[in-house]
PDB file of all heavy atoms in Angstrom:
ATOM      1  N   ALA A   1       0.746  -1.191  -0.024  1.00 83.00           N
ATOM      2  CA  ALA A   1       0.010  -0.026  -0.028  1.00 83.00           C
ATOM      3  C   ALA A   1       0.827   1.219  -0.060  1.00 83.00           C
ATOM      4  O   ALA A   1       0.618   2.191  -0.717  1.00 83.00           O
ATOM      5  CB  ALA A   1      -0.974  -0.010   1.189  1.00 83.00           C
ATOM      6  N   SER A   2       1.961   1.259   0.843  1.00 85.00           N
ATOM      7  CA  SER A   2       2.865   2.409   0.879  1.00 85.00           C
ATOM      8  C   SER A   2       3.371   2.704  -0.534  1.00 85.00           C
ATOM      9  O   SER A   2       3.408   3.815  -0.917  1.00 85.00           O
ATOM     10  CB  SER A   2       3.989   2.183   1.801  1.00 85.00           C
ATOM     11  OG  SER A   2       3.454   1.801   3.156  1.00 85.00           O
ATOM     12  N   TYR A   3       3.811   1.718  -1.269  1.00 85.00           N
ATOM     13  CA  TYR A   3       4.470   1.940  -2.556  1.00 85.00           C
ATOM     14  C   TYR A   3       3.289   2.401  -3.490  1.00 85.00           C
ATOM     15  O   TYR A   3       3.596   3.337  -4.310  1.00 85.00           O
ATOM     16  CB  TYR A   3       4.943   0.638  -2.981  1.00 85.00           C
ATOM     17  CG  TYR A   3       5.473   0.656  -4.520  1.00 85.00           C
ATOM     18  CD1 TYR A   3       6.755   1.344  -4.888  1.00 85.00           C
ATOM     19  CD2 TYR A   3       4.694   0.209  -5.626  1.00 85.00           C
ATOM     20  CE1 TYR A   3       7.160   1.279  -6.096  1.00 85.00           C
ATOM     21  CE2 TYR A   3       5.124   0.337  -6.879  1.00 85.00           C
ATOM     22  CZ  TYR A   3       6.444   0.858  -7.091  1.00 85.00           C
ATOM     23  OH  TYR A   3       6.762   1.000  -8.451  1.00 85.00           O
ATOM     24  N   ALA A   4       2.186   1.866  -3.363  1.00 86.00           N
ATOM     25  CA  ALA A   4       1.043   2.257  -4.317  1.00 86.00           C
ATOM     26  C   ALA A   4       0.625   3.779  -4.074  1.00 86.00           C
ATOM     27  O   ALA A   4       0.452   4.660  -4.975  1.00 86.00           O
ATOM     28  CB  ALA A   4      -0.146   1.449  -4.127  1.00 86.00           C
ATOM     29  N   LEU A   5       0.676   4.198  -2.781  1.00 91.00           N
ATOM     30  CA  LEU A   5       0.242   5.696  -2.405  1.00 91.00           C
ATOM     31  C   LEU A   5       1.453   6.551  -2.930  1.00 91.00           C
ATOM     32  O   LEU A   5       1.100   7.576  -3.559  1.00 91.00           O
ATOM     33  CB  LEU A   5       0.218   5.822  -0.940  1.00 91.00           C
ATOM     34  CG  LEU A   5      -0.983   5.079  -0.247  1.00 91.00           C
ATOM     35  CD1 LEU A   5      -1.065   5.294   1.292  1.00 91.00           C
ATOM     36  CD2 LEU A   5      -2.294   5.647  -0.846  1.00 91.00           C
ATOM     37  N   ARG A   6       2.687   6.113  -2.812  1.00 90.00           N
ATOM     38  CA  ARG A   6       3.712   7.019  -3.325  1.00 90.00           C
ATOM     39  C   ARG A   6       3.589   7.126  -4.899  1.00 90.00           C
ATOM     40  O   ARG A   6       3.737   8.220  -5.308  1.00 90.00           O
ATOM     41  CB  ARG A   6       5.110   6.414  -2.955  1.00 90.00           C
ATOM     42  CG  ARG A   6       6.288   7.117  -3.509  1.00 90.00           C
ATOM     43  CD  ARG A   6       7.514   6.478  -3.203  1.00 90.00           C
ATOM     44  NE  ARG A   6       8.657   7.056  -3.752  1.00 90.00           N
ATOM     45  CZ  ARG A   6       9.909   6.775  -3.632  1.00 90.00           C
ATOM     46  NH1 ARG A   6      10.241   5.966  -2.623  1.00 90.00           N
ATOM     47  NH2 ARG A   6      10.904   7.333  -4.356  1.00 90.00           N
ATOM     48  N   LYS A   7       3.360   6.109  -5.604  1.00 89.00           N
ATOM     49  CA  LYS A   7       3.300   6.203  -6.959  1.00 89.00           C
ATOM     50  C   LYS A   7       2.115   7.011  -7.498  1.00 89.00           C
ATOM     51  O   LYS A   7       2.186   7.940  -8.355  1.00 89.00           O
ATOM     52  CB  LYS A   7       3.071   4.682  -7.491  1.00 89.00           C
ATOM     53  CG  LYS A   7       2.981   4.637  -9.035  1.00 89.00           C
ATOM     54  CD  LYS A   7       2.681   3.151  -9.449  1.00 89.00           C
ATOM     55  CE  LYS A   7       1.335   2.763  -9.218  1.00 89.00           C
ATOM     56  NZ  LYS A   7       0.889   1.526  -9.838  1.00 89.00           N
ATOM     57  N   HIS A   8       0.987   6.774  -6.733  1.00 90.00           N
ATOM     58  CA  HIS A   8      -0.277   7.538  -7.255  1.00 90.00           C
ATOM     59  C   HIS A   8      -0.118   9.022  -6.892  1.00 90.00           C
ATOM     60  O   HIS A   8      -0.525   9.854  -7.662  1.00 90.00           O
ATOM     61  CB  HIS A   8      -1.551   6.933  -6.624  1.00 90.00           C
ATOM     62  CG  HIS A   8      -1.882   5.676  -7.193  1.00 90.00           C
ATOM     63  ND1 HIS A   8      -1.915   5.311  -8.544  1.00 90.00           N
ATOM     64  CD2 HIS A   8      -2.172   4.404  -6.402  1.00 90.00           C
ATOM     65  CE1 HIS A   8      -2.241   4.039  -8.608  1.00 90.00           C
ATOM     66  NE2 HIS A   8      -2.384   3.489  -7.416  1.00 90.00           N
ATOM     67  N   TYR A   9       0.568   9.297  -5.799  1.00 93.00           N
ATOM     68  CA  TYR A   9       0.766  10.680  -5.406  1.00 93.00           C
ATOM     69  C   TYR A   9       1.627  11.391  -6.358  1.00 93.00           C
ATOM     70  O   TYR A   9       1.251  12.532  -6.896  1.00 93.00           O
ATOM     71  CB  TYR A   9       1.273  10.814  -3.970  1.00 93.00           C
ATOM     72  CG  TYR A   9       1.285  12.089  -3.408  1.00 93.00           C
ATOM     73  CD1 TYR A   9       0.256  12.587  -2.538  1.00 93.00           C
ATOM     74  CD2 TYR A   9       2.216  13.131  -3.667  1.00 93.00           C
ATOM     75  CE1 TYR A   9       0.175  13.815  -2.048  1.00 93.00           C
ATOM     76  CE2 TYR A   9       2.230  14.451  -3.230  1.00 93.00           C
ATOM     77  CZ  TYR A   9       1.152  14.740  -2.368  1.00 93.00           C
ATOM     78  OH  TYR A   9       1.111  16.104  -1.817  1.00 93.00           O
ATOM     79  N   PHE A  10       2.720  10.740  -6.711  1.00 90.00           N
ATOM     80  CA  PHE A  10       3.600  11.400  -7.618  1.00 90.00           C
ATOM     81  C   PHE A  10       2.998  11.634  -8.967  1.00 90.00           C
ATOM     82  O   PHE A  10       3.191  12.587  -9.680  1.00 90.00           O
ATOM     83  CB  PHE A  10       4.861  10.489  -7.884  1.00 90.00           C
ATOM     84  CG  PHE A  10       5.818  11.063  -8.830  1.00 90.00           C
ATOM     85  CD1 PHE A  10       6.740  12.117  -8.401  1.00 90.00           C
ATOM     86  CD2 PHE A  10       5.926  10.631 -10.176  1.00 90.00           C
ATOM     87  CE1 PHE A  10       7.735  12.656  -9.182  1.00 90.00           C
ATOM     88  CE2 PHE A  10       6.847  11.272 -10.898  1.00 90.00           C
ATOM     89  CZ  PHE A  10       7.762  12.221 -10.584  1.00 90.00           C
ATOM     90  N   THR A  11       2.117  10.610  -9.525  1.00 89.00           N
ATOM     91  CA  THR A  11       1.493  10.912 -10.725  1.00 89.00           C
ATOM     92  C   THR A  11       0.496  11.872 -10.677  1.00 89.00           C
ATOM     93  O   THR A  11       0.277  12.689 -11.702  1.00 89.00           O
ATOM     94  CB  THR A  11       0.826   9.511 -11.179  1.00 89.00           C
ATOM     95  OG1 THR A  11       1.833   8.477 -11.266  1.00 89.00           O
ATOM     96  CG2 THR A  11       0.152   9.596 -12.570  1.00 89.00           C
ATOM     97  N   LEU A  12      -0.375  11.886  -9.710  1.00 92.00           N
ATOM     98  CA  LEU A  12      -1.586  12.713  -9.633  1.00 92.00           C
ATOM     99  C   LEU A  12      -1.502  14.087  -8.874  1.00 92.00           C
ATOM    100  O   LEU A  12      -2.178  15.005  -9.115  1.00 92.00           O
ATOM    101  CB  LEU A  12      -2.895  11.945  -9.235  1.00 92.00           C
ATOM    102  CG  LEU A  12      -3.184  10.686 -10.122  1.00 92.00           C
ATOM    103  CD1 LEU A  12      -4.165   9.890  -9.245  1.00 92.00           C
ATOM    104  CD2 LEU A  12      -3.804  11.194 -11.463  1.00 92.00           C
ATOM    105  N   LEU A  13      -0.669  14.083  -7.760  1.00 93.00           N
ATOM    106  CA  LEU A  13      -0.611  15.164  -6.850  1.00 93.00           C
ATOM    107  C   LEU A  13       0.696  15.945  -6.689  1.00 93.00           C
ATOM    108  O   LEU A  13       0.689  16.944  -6.054  1.00 93.00           O
ATOM    109  CB  LEU A  13      -1.141  14.642  -5.549  1.00 93.00           C
ATOM    110  CG  LEU A  13      -2.623  13.992  -5.446  1.00 93.00           C
ATOM    111  CD1 LEU A  13      -2.733  13.432  -4.057  1.00 93.00           C
ATOM    112  CD2 LEU A  13      -3.507  15.146  -5.750  1.00 93.00           C
ATOM    113  N   HIS A  14       1.778  15.459  -7.246  1.00 89.00           N
ATOM    114  CA  HIS A  14       3.086  16.012  -6.945  1.00 89.00           C
ATOM    115  C   HIS A  14       3.153  17.414  -7.493  1.00 89.00           C
ATOM    116  O   HIS A  14       3.546  18.394  -6.771  1.00 89.00           O
ATOM    117  CB  HIS A  14       4.112  15.119  -7.493  1.00 89.00           C
ATOM    118  CG  HIS A  14       5.480  15.538  -7.021  1.00 89.00           C
ATOM    119  ND1 HIS A  14       6.635  15.385  -7.828  1.00 89.00           N
ATOM    120  CD2 HIS A  14       6.007  16.068  -5.931  1.00 89.00           C
ATOM    121  CE1 HIS A  14       7.727  15.973  -7.291  1.00 89.00           C
ATOM    122  NE2 HIS A  14       7.287  16.326  -6.081  1.00 89.00           N
ATOM    123  N   HIS A  15       2.901  17.613  -8.822  1.00 88.00           N
ATOM    124  CA  HIS A  15       2.912  18.787  -9.403  1.00 88.00           C
ATOM    125  C   HIS A  15       1.821  19.738  -8.829  1.00 88.00           C
ATOM    126  O   HIS A  15       2.077  20.943  -8.697  1.00 88.00           O
ATOM    127  CB  HIS A  15       2.863  18.814 -10.915  1.00 88.00           C
ATOM    128  CG  HIS A  15       4.048  18.079 -11.447  1.00 88.00           C
ATOM    129  ND1 HIS A  15       5.489  18.434 -11.307  1.00 88.00           N
ATOM    130  CD2 HIS A  15       4.187  16.930 -12.353  1.00 88.00           C
ATOM    131  CE1 HIS A  15       6.154  17.702 -11.859  1.00 88.00           C
ATOM    132  NE2 HIS A  15       5.349  16.665 -12.514  1.00 88.00           N
ATOM    133  N   PHE A  16       0.715  19.171  -8.575  1.00 91.00           N
ATOM    134  CA  PHE A  16      -0.426  19.986  -7.946  1.00 91.00           C
ATOM    135  C   PHE A  16      -0.005  20.536  -6.580  1.00 91.00           C
ATOM    136  O   PHE A  16      -0.200  21.656  -6.299  1.00 91.00           O
ATOM    137  CB  PHE A  16      -1.610  18.997  -7.800  1.00 91.00           C
ATOM    138  CG  PHE A  16      -2.831  19.650  -7.080  1.00 91.00           C
ATOM    139  CD1 PHE A  16      -3.748  20.287  -7.866  1.00 91.00           C
ATOM    140  CD2 PHE A  16      -3.033  19.438  -5.800  1.00 91.00           C
ATOM    141  CE1 PHE A  16      -4.866  20.922  -7.310  1.00 91.00           C
ATOM    142  CE2 PHE A  16      -4.145  20.061  -5.154  1.00 91.00           C
ATOM    143  CZ  PHE A  16      -5.155  20.803  -5.918  1.00 91.00           C
ATOM    144  N   GLU A  17       0.717  19.765  -5.851  1.00 91.00           N
ATOM    145  CA  GLU A  17       1.353  20.166  -4.464  1.00 91.00           C
ATOM    146  C   GLU A  17       2.233  21.337  -4.751  1.00 91.00           C
ATOM    147  O   GLU A  17       2.296  22.167  -3.961  1.00 91.00           O
ATOM    148  CB  GLU A  17       2.086  18.985  -3.943  1.00 91.00           C
ATOM    149  CG  GLU A  17       2.977  19.320  -2.738  1.00 91.00           C
ATOM    150  CD  GLU A  17       3.955  18.180  -2.437  1.00 91.00           C
ATOM    151  OE1 GLU A  17       3.442  17.199  -1.699  1.00 91.00           O
ATOM    152  OE2 GLU A  17       5.102  18.295  -2.772  1.00 91.00           O
ATOM    153  N   GLN A  18       3.005  21.324  -5.733  1.00 88.00           N
ATOM    154  CA  GLN A  18       4.060  22.402  -6.084  1.00 88.00           C
ATOM    155  C   GLN A  18       3.276  23.658  -6.318  1.00 88.00           C
ATOM    156  O   GLN A  18       3.773  24.692  -5.810  1.00 88.00           O
ATOM    157  CB  GLN A  18       4.900  22.055  -7.306  1.00 88.00           C
ATOM    158  CG  GLN A  18       5.832  20.802  -7.087  1.00 88.00           C
ATOM    159  CD  GLN A  18       6.738  20.932  -5.983  1.00 88.00           C
ATOM    160  OE1 GLN A  18       7.417  21.851  -5.920  1.00 88.00           O
ATOM    161  NE2 GLN A  18       6.697  19.821  -5.172  1.00 88.00           N
ATOM    162  N   VAL A  19       2.108  23.627  -6.769  1.00 89.00           N
ATOM    163  CA  VAL A  19       1.383  24.779  -7.133  1.00 89.00           C
ATOM    164  C   VAL A  19       0.590  25.291  -5.979  1.00 89.00           C
ATOM    165  O   VAL A  19       0.605  26.553  -5.562  1.00 89.00           O
ATOM    166  CB  VAL A  19       0.426  24.624  -8.340  1.00 89.00           C
ATOM    167  CG1 VAL A  19      -0.372  25.895  -8.584  1.00 89.00           C
ATOM    168  CG2 VAL A  19       1.356  24.485  -9.694  1.00 89.00           C
ATOM    169  N   TYR A  20      -0.034  24.451  -5.335  1.00 92.00           N
ATOM    170  CA  TYR A  20      -1.102  24.805  -4.219  1.00 92.00           C
ATOM    171  C   TYR A  20      -0.431  24.924  -2.865  1.00 92.00           C
ATOM    172  O   TYR A  20      -0.925  25.603  -2.086  1.00 92.00           O
ATOM    173  CB  TYR A  20      -2.239  23.804  -4.356  1.00 92.00           C
ATOM    174  CG  TYR A  20      -3.213  24.145  -5.316  1.00 92.00           C
ATOM    175  CD1 TYR A  20      -3.044  23.722  -6.661  1.00 92.00           C
ATOM    176  CD2 TYR A  20      -4.481  24.916  -4.966  1.00 92.00           C
ATOM    177  CE1 TYR A  20      -4.004  23.986  -7.622  1.00 92.00           C
ATOM    178  CE2 TYR A  20      -5.401  25.208  -6.051  1.00 92.00           C
ATOM    179  CZ  TYR A  20      -5.158  24.789  -7.229  1.00 92.00           C
ATOM    180  OH  TYR A  20      -6.065  25.067  -8.277  1.00 92.00           O
ATOM    181  N   PHE A  21       0.491  23.969  -2.637  1.00 90.00           N
ATOM    182  CA  PHE A  21       1.153  23.871  -1.460  1.00 90.00           C
ATOM    183  C   PHE A  21       2.517  24.707  -1.136  1.00 90.00           C
ATOM    184  O   PHE A  21       2.662  25.430  -0.275  1.00 90.00           O
ATOM    185  CB  PHE A  21       1.426  22.428  -0.899  1.00 90.00           C
ATOM    186  CG  PHE A  21       2.030  22.242   0.491  1.00 90.00           C
ATOM    187  CD1 PHE A  21       1.335  22.796   1.534  1.00 90.00           C
ATOM    188  CD2 PHE A  21       3.189  21.613   0.741  1.00 90.00           C
ATOM    189  CE1 PHE A  21       1.794  22.615   2.854  1.00 90.00           C
ATOM    190  CE2 PHE A  21       3.736  21.494   1.938  1.00 90.00           C
ATOM    191  CZ  PHE A  21       3.000  21.974   3.102  1.00 90.00           C
ATOM    192  N   PHE A  22       3.256  24.683  -2.193  1.00 85.00           N
ATOM    193  CA  PHE A  22       4.475  25.402  -2.186  1.00 85.00           C
ATOM    194  C   PHE A  22       4.467  26.674  -3.039  1.00 85.00           C
ATOM    195  O   PHE A  22       5.495  27.286  -3.331  1.00 85.00           O
ATOM    196  CB  PHE A  22       5.617  24.557  -2.732  1.00 85.00           C
ATOM    197  CG  PHE A  22       5.998  23.409  -1.700  1.00 85.00           C
ATOM    198  CD1 PHE A  22       5.719  22.104  -2.085  1.00 85.00           C
ATOM    199  CD2 PHE A  22       6.599  23.607  -0.590  1.00 85.00           C
ATOM    200  CE1 PHE A  22       6.141  21.107  -1.230  1.00 85.00           C
ATOM    201  CE2 PHE A  22       6.929  22.718   0.383  1.00 85.00           C
ATOM    202  CZ  PHE A  22       6.628  21.234   0.004  1.00 85.00           C
ATOM    203  N   ARG A  23       3.303  27.300  -3.392  1.00 74.00           N
ATOM    204  CA  ARG A  23       3.237  28.271  -4.244  1.00 74.00           C
ATOM    205  C   ARG A  23       3.981  29.473  -3.834  1.00 74.00           C
ATOM    206  O   ARG A  23       4.333  30.390  -4.697  1.00 74.00           O
ATOM    207  CB  ARG A  23       1.727  28.596  -4.756  1.00 74.00           C
ATOM    208  CG  ARG A  23       0.929  29.049  -3.594  1.00 74.00           C
ATOM    209  CD  ARG A  23      -0.403  29.452  -4.153  1.00 74.00           C
ATOM    210  NE  ARG A  23      -1.303  29.775  -3.022  1.00 74.00           N
ATOM    211  CZ  ARG A  23      -2.509  30.382  -3.248  1.00 74.00           C
ATOM    212  NH1 ARG A  23      -2.949  30.568  -4.536  1.00 74.00           N
ATOM    213  NH2 ARG A  23      -3.385  30.753  -2.216  1.00 74.00           N
ATOM    214  N   HIS A  24       4.095  29.723  -2.632  1.00 48.00           N
ATOM    215  CA  HIS A  24       4.787  30.880  -2.145  1.00 48.00           C
ATOM    216  C   HIS A  24       6.303  30.833  -2.539  1.00 48.00           C
ATOM    217  O   HIS A  24       6.943  31.781  -2.461  1.00 48.00           O
ATOM    218  CB  HIS A  24       4.725  30.948  -0.560  1.00 48.00           C
ATOM    219  CG  HIS A  24       5.187  29.783   0.109  1.00 48.00           C
ATOM    220  ND1 HIS A  24       4.368  28.602   0.238  1.00 48.00           N
ATOM    221  CD2 HIS A  24       6.409  29.445   0.768  1.00 48.00           C
ATOM    222  CE1 HIS A  24       5.104  27.761   0.977  1.00 48.00           C
ATOM    223  NE2 HIS A  24       6.213  28.240   1.313  1.00 48.00           N
ATOM    224  N   ASN A  25       6.763  29.631  -2.915  1.00 44.00           N
ATOM    225  CA  ASN A  25       8.110  29.543  -3.291  1.00 44.00           C
ATOM    226  C   ASN A  25       8.132  28.998  -4.887  1.00 44.00           C
ATOM    227  O   ASN A  25       9.190  28.788  -5.382  1.00 44.00           O
ATOM    228  CB  ASN A  25       8.858  28.389  -2.579  1.00 44.00           C
ATOM    229  CG  ASN A  25       9.091  28.813  -1.101  1.00 44.00           C
ATOM    230  OD1 ASN A  25       9.335  30.029  -0.946  1.00 44.00           O
ATOM    231  ND2 ASN A  25       8.971  27.936  -0.256  1.00 44.00           N
ATOM    232  N   PHE A  26       6.946  29.085  -5.431  1.00 44.00           N
ATOM    233  CA  PHE A  26       6.863  28.733  -6.847  1.00 44.00           C
ATOM    234  C   PHE A  26       6.848  29.828  -7.866  1.00 44.00           C
ATOM    235  O   PHE A  26       5.832  30.514  -7.890  1.00 44.00           O
ATOM    236  CB  PHE A  26       5.626  27.840  -7.013  1.00 44.00           C
ATOM    237  CG  PHE A  26       5.493  26.951  -8.201  1.00 44.00           C
ATOM    238  CD1 PHE A  26       6.155  25.616  -8.134  1.00 44.00           C
ATOM    239  CD2 PHE A  26       4.796  27.421  -9.328  1.00 44.00           C
ATOM    240  CE1 PHE A  26       6.113  24.783  -9.291  1.00 44.00           C
ATOM    241  CE2 PHE A  26       4.721  26.531 -10.411  1.00 44.00           C
ATOM    242  CZ  PHE A  26       5.354  25.324 -10.445  1.00 44.00           C
ATOM    243  N   PRO A  27       7.903  29.995  -8.621  1.00 41.00           N
ATOM    244  CA  PRO A  27       7.896  31.196  -9.539  1.00 41.00           C
ATOM    245  C   PRO A  27       7.029  30.857 -10.735  1.00 41.00           C
ATOM    246  O   PRO A  27       6.522  29.864 -11.062  1.00 41.00           O
ATOM    247  CB  PRO A  27       9.379  31.261  -9.823  1.00 41.00           C
ATOM    248  CG  PRO A  27       9.798  29.738  -9.764  1.00 41.00           C
ATOM    249  CD  PRO A  27       9.095  29.163  -8.583  1.00 41.00           C
ATOM    250  N   GLY A  28       6.793  32.021 -11.467  1.00 41.00           N
ATOM    251  CA  GLY A  28       5.945  31.863 -12.575  1.00 41.00           C
ATOM    252  C   GLY A  28       6.558  30.944 -13.698  1.00 41.00           C
ATOM    253  O   GLY A  28       5.850  30.417 -14.530  1.00 41.00           O
ATOM    254  N   SER A  29       7.841  30.930 -13.711  1.00 40.00           N
ATOM    255  CA  SER A  29       8.520  30.090 -14.682  1.00 40.00           C
ATOM    256  C   SER A  29       9.444  29.129 -13.826  1.00 40.00           C
ATOM    257  O   SER A  29      10.407  29.699 -13.231  1.00 40.00           O
ATOM    258  CB  SER A  29       9.284  30.909 -15.768  1.00 40.00           C
ATOM    259  OG  SER A  29       9.954  30.211 -16.666  1.00 40.00           O
ATOM    260  N   ARG A  30       9.269  27.837 -14.037  1.00 45.00           N
ATOM    261  CA  ARG A  30       9.995  26.914 -13.201  1.00 45.00           C
ATOM    262  C   ARG A  30      10.954  26.054 -14.097  1.00 45.00           C
ATOM    263  O   ARG A  30      10.511  25.551 -15.094  1.00 45.00           O
ATOM    264  CB  ARG A  30       8.976  25.962 -12.474  1.00 45.00           C
ATOM    265  CG  ARG A  30       9.631  25.016 -11.575  1.00 45.00           C
ATOM    266  CD  ARG A  30       8.581  24.126 -10.915  1.00 45.00           C
ATOM    267  NE  ARG A  30       9.180  23.043 -10.120  1.00 45.00           N
ATOM    268  CZ  ARG A  30       9.392  23.204  -8.815  1.00 45.00           C
ATOM    269  NH1 ARG A  30       9.381  24.228  -8.265  1.00 45.00           N
ATOM    270  NH2 ARG A  30       9.928  22.143  -8.116  1.00 45.00           N
ATOM    271  N   CYS A  31      12.123  25.902 -13.529  1.00 45.00           N
ATOM    272  CA  CYS A  31      13.088  25.103 -14.240  1.00 45.00           C
ATOM    273  C   CYS A  31      13.382  23.803 -13.453  1.00 45.00           C
ATOM    274  O   CYS A  31      13.533  24.018 -12.152  1.00 45.00           O
ATOM    275  CB  CYS A  31      14.369  25.913 -14.557  1.00 45.00           C
ATOM    276  SG  CYS A  31      14.289  27.074 -15.778  1.00 45.00           S
ATOM    277  N   PHE A  32      13.362  22.702 -13.970  1.00 49.00           N
ATOM    278  CA  PHE A  32      13.670  21.396 -13.260  1.00 49.00           C
ATOM    279  C   PHE A  32      15.083  20.965 -13.420  1.00 49.00           C
ATOM    280  O   PHE A  32      15.635  21.133 -14.415  1.00 49.00           O
ATOM    281  CB  PHE A  32      12.726  20.306 -13.652  1.00 49.00           C
ATOM    282  CG  PHE A  32      11.200  20.611 -13.427  1.00 49.00           C
ATOM    283  CD1 PHE A  32      10.499  21.105 -14.270  1.00 49.00           C
ATOM    284  CD2 PHE A  32      10.814  20.253 -12.090  1.00 49.00           C
ATOM    285  CE1 PHE A  32       9.121  21.381 -13.898  1.00 49.00           C
ATOM    286  CE2 PHE A  32       9.462  20.408 -11.699  1.00 49.00           C
ATOM    287  CZ  PHE A  32       8.635  21.077 -12.711  1.00 49.00           C
ATOM    288  N   GLN A  33      15.744  20.698 -12.313  1.00 53.00           N
ATOM    289  CA  GLN A  33      17.108  20.118 -12.395  1.00 53.00           C
ATOM    290  C   GLN A  33      16.953  18.645 -12.136  1.00 53.00           C
ATOM    291  O   GLN A  33      16.292  18.059 -11.399  1.00 53.00           O
ATOM    292  CB  GLN A  33      17.968  20.709 -11.265  1.00 53.00           C
ATOM    293  CG  GLN A  33      18.208  22.151 -11.388  1.00 53.00           C
ATOM    294  CD  GLN A  33      19.359  22.687 -10.362  1.00 53.00           C
ATOM    295  OE1 GLN A  33      19.480  22.122  -9.300  1.00 53.00           O
ATOM    296  NE2 GLN A  33      19.851  23.873 -10.622  1.00 53.00           N
ATOM    297  N   ALA A  34      17.664  17.987 -13.015  1.00 59.00           N
ATOM    298  CA  ALA A  34      17.593  16.493 -13.021  1.00 59.00           C
ATOM    299  C   ALA A  34      19.124  15.916 -13.199  1.00 59.00           C
ATOM    300  O   ALA A  34      19.883  16.493 -13.801  1.00 59.00           O
ATOM    301  CB  ALA A  34      16.738  15.958 -14.127  1.00 59.00           C
ATOM    302  N   GLU A  35      19.312  14.776 -12.584  1.00 67.00           N
ATOM    303  CA  GLU A  35      20.491  13.951 -12.790  1.00 67.00           C
ATOM    304  C   GLU A  35      20.234  12.704 -13.436  1.00 67.00           C
ATOM    305  O   GLU A  35      19.372  11.885 -13.072  1.00 67.00           O
ATOM    306  CB  GLU A  35      21.175  13.748 -11.365  1.00 67.00           C
ATOM    307  CG  GLU A  35      21.509  15.051 -10.504  1.00 67.00           C
ATOM    308  CD  GLU A  35      22.048  14.751  -9.216  1.00 67.00           C
ATOM    309  OE1 GLU A  35      22.174  13.528  -8.883  1.00 67.00           O
ATOM    310  OE2 GLU A  35      22.285  15.578  -8.441  1.00 67.00           O
ATOM    311  N   GLY A  36      21.170  12.355 -14.527  1.00 72.00           N
ATOM    312  CA  GLY A  36      20.922  11.131 -15.177  1.00 72.00           C
ATOM    313  C   GLY A  36      21.980  10.157 -15.129  1.00 72.00           C
ATOM    314  O   GLY A  36      23.191  10.623 -15.046  1.00 72.00           O
ATOM    315  N   THR A  37      21.806   8.975 -15.237  1.00 75.00           N
ATOM    316  CA  THR A  37      22.854   7.935 -15.155  1.00 75.00           C
ATOM    317  C   THR A  37      22.445   6.815 -16.272  1.00 75.00           C
ATOM    318  O   THR A  37      21.386   6.635 -16.483  1.00 75.00           O
ATOM    319  CB  THR A  37      22.914   7.311 -13.879  1.00 75.00           C
ATOM    320  OG1 THR A  37      21.699   6.646 -13.467  1.00 75.00           O
ATOM    321  CG2 THR A  37      23.309   8.203 -12.734  1.00 75.00           C
ATOM    322  N   ILE A  38      23.505   6.230 -16.850  1.00 74.00           N
ATOM    323  CA  ILE A  38      23.334   5.223 -17.819  1.00 74.00           C
ATOM    324  C   ILE A  38      23.327   3.925 -17.193  1.00 74.00           C
ATOM    325  O   ILE A  38      24.339   3.545 -16.400  1.00 74.00           O
ATOM    326  CB  ILE A  38      24.391   5.322 -18.992  1.00 74.00           C
ATOM    327  CG1 ILE A  38      24.266   6.632 -19.805  1.00 74.00           C
ATOM    328  CG2 ILE A  38      24.260   4.028 -19.767  1.00 74.00           C
ATOM    329  CD1 ILE A  38      25.371   6.743 -20.708  1.00 74.00           C
ATOM    330  N   ASP A  39      22.153   3.154 -17.228  1.00 69.00           N
ATOM    331  CA  ASP A  39      22.120   1.946 -16.485  1.00 69.00           C
ATOM    332  C   ASP A  39      22.664   0.743 -17.310  1.00 69.00           C
ATOM    333  O   ASP A  39      23.231  -0.203 -16.707  1.00 69.00           O
ATOM    334  CB  ASP A  39      20.658   1.626 -16.061  1.00 69.00           C
ATOM    335  CG  ASP A  39      20.085   2.706 -15.188  1.00 69.00           C
ATOM    336  OD1 ASP A  39      20.863   3.101 -14.246  1.00 69.00           O
ATOM    337  OD2 ASP A  39      18.765   2.958 -15.321  1.00 69.00           O
TER     338      ASP A  39
END
């Protein structure tokens, strides 16, 4: 259940959270930083 909740939250609510919960730190234009590795 824990894994399923995490997966569904990330898919459906993670970006929603960024806008509604963290919007005081959320600029009008957002850049994402990512780190990539070759598996």
